[in-house]
Amino acid sequence: MTIFPKEIYWQRRKMLRELVGEGVILFPGNEESSMNYRSNYYHYRQDSTFLYFFGINRPGFFGLCDVDEQKDILYGDDFGIDDIIWMGEQPAVRDLAAKVGVELSASSESLGTFLKQTLQKGRKVHILPPYRGDHVITLSQLTGVSQDQVQEMVSQVLIGAVVKLRSVKDHHEIAEIEKAADVAGIMHTTAMKMAYPGNYERELAGAVEGIALAHGGPVSFPVILSMDGQILHNHYHGKELVEGRMVVCDAGAESAMCYASDITRTFPVGGKFSAQQKDIYNIVLKANTETIKASLPGRTYREVHLMAAKIIAGGLKELGIMKGDLDEAVAAGAHALFFPHGLGHMLGLDVHDMEGLGENHVGYNDAVKRSDQFGLAYLRLGRKLEPGFVVTNEPGCYFIPALIDQWKEEKKLEQFINYGQVEKYRGFGGVRIEDDVLISDQGSRVLGTPIPKTVEEVEDTMRV
Ligand code: GLY
């Protein structure tokens, strides 16, 4: 188990207690999760907020911060010989606690008694929104409140405090994301080199996932890899690669400490972009590179998203696909026929960092509210950028037949869209290009070793 120096966890919990102000904060760690029978588990993944404050990447623990008493306690049980013969020697709970700067540890049985007494005394118990059913059941059993009432313990103050702390990454965390990005670089260049007619999507997807595993982490989310890049999150990998199509590969790795990378590259089957593919690819590339430069502290990510939208609309206008005034087209959301998702999201211990706490709590605030316009509504991060944020930058341009048909039939925004010209791209698929970007006072920086991205770099990488 790899962990940061214990002072880091101690300091994080101290800041958390100060921000929350009163009561008791409870972080349930994740348990094993069964696949098809009890002891056949999915890959174990610790809860990210538990990792952030308590660092222990193992099942069977609860972390508690007693704000009023200014102390932290790790709850968990030592293993007996029956477990050790299957699992090998295991560290004692108190030794694990010491590694993350927690002085007190106690058995999980005593947690229920403590929580029930805490509630009876009228003290507040703060929890984050549970996202696993077993958490709801366990929290209900531990506190004695019904499963429905568990939701009432979800604390807005705690959500706000956790978002504030986890949003800004320190240099240890940035180094972890950078390691994950480096592994993703190997994943993507390998997929490029394999993208030749006769190979199957699944062979590329398997190689990509295998590289993440071989470097110690799993993938940070299920691999998206497909010639049908117009399907934004396509997890079907069954097709044989054919000349003339492109592959969208959206994949990342987890570092040993569970920090994620999330990177996308698009490359032509056979190693050479067609003229039409190059046209669209270079529009997306420009949106990616220009908006990375523009991702500066103080600017809202919504502004940066709209800048990407305008670059894409401008490129499509040059190709005769869009028309009219670009500012008006983007304000009306016409670009969203081709770029229907957001420019990016926070990245950290989660790929969509902290999304389990509520996307609007992470990406929006009183100053920047989420739009309900098609396309812009999918932007996960809209608020002002701050130094230490790590965000994805992932513009795309897609030709989605069902969406084109719907808009065309409705004559939607036809003052900005040449539907006749759009037809020439119907079977095109899509292009997405994504990097992981650190926001800092010195400007923005793409994390990890550069991964081939221009047309020339991609074609050179694919040359056999
Ligand atoms: N790259 C996958 C996602 O952002 O959902």
Side-chain angles (χ1 to χ4, degrees), residues 72-131:
D72 307 317
I73 307 170
L74 181 71
Y75 287 89
D77 300 315
D78 287 331
F79 287 99
I81 190 66
D82 284 352
D83 301 304
I84 288 169
I85 57 172
W86 293 98
M87 301 164 70
E89 291 289 338
Q90 297 295 313
V93 173
R94 78 166 172 278
D95 294 338
L96 285 171
K99 280 187 198 296
V100 292
V102 176
E103 283 172 13
L104 301 168
S105 59
S107 71
S108 50
E109 202 185 357
S110 62
L111 177 60
T113 312
F114 175 80
L115 288 173
K116 287 184 189 103
Q117 284 171 355
T118 301
L119 287 171
Q120 273 159 15
K121 285 181 197 157
R123 293 175 72 202
K124 188 159 174 52
V125 175
H126 302 263
I127 62 166
L128 294 173
Y131 57 91

Side-chain angles (χ1 to χ4, degrees), residues 32-43:
E32 296 280 14
S33 184
S34 298
M35 206 160 32
N36 52 340
Y37 54 90
R38 197 181 183 293
S39 61
N40 201 23
Y41 299 133
Y42 289 104
H43 164 74

